[in-house]
Amino acid sequence: NNHLIVFEDKCEEHKVSINNANIKELTTLPGIGEKIAQRIIEYRDNNGSFTCLEDIKLVKGIGDNKYEKFKEYICL
């Protein structure tokens, strides 16, 4: 009884993709201003795509508290 589960790389419409969003889209997230949005983009440029949502906490300025505020609004 093996079931194959396919995870599509799609975002729900109202969510912001941390792997594809531009600065304008990232700054719509609670607690994310232009400086941190720029850091998210620089992190992607230097390290490639985020592999899980929590990886965004590797970006300087994003800790547990800030992550908790916007985690429900993001996707890969």
Side-chain angles (χ1 to χ4, degrees):
N1 237 0
N2 291 340
H3 295 297
L4 179 64
I5 298 173
V6 177
F7 291 97
E8 292 188 27
D9 202 19
K10 289 186 179 173
C11 254
E12 291 178 45
E13 279 185 45
H14 60 280
K15 293 196 176 190
V16 174
S17 167
I18 59 175
N19 283 330
N20 299 309
N22 59 32
I23 286 185
K24 188 177 176 187
E25 293 163 330
L26 290 167
T27 57
T28 65
L29 296 169
I32 302 297
E34 283 192 22
K35 279 186 180 175
I36 292 181
Q38 185 61 48
R39 284 191 205 136
I40 292 169
I41 292 170
E42 286 170 8
Y43 183 91
R44 284 191 324 226
D45 290 345
N46 295 329
N47 302 286
S49 294
F50 295 100
T51 55
C52 72
L53 294 180
E54 291 207 348
D55 281 353
I56 200 164
K57 291 194 281 185
L58 298 170
V59 175
K60 185 181 176 200
I62 300 179
D64 291 331
N65 290 338
K66 194 168 291 240
Y67 175 73
E68 289 298 318
K69 288 179 188 169
F70 65 71
K71 71 177 182 182
E72 64 194 87
Y73 304 110
I74 61 172
C75 62
L76 297 175

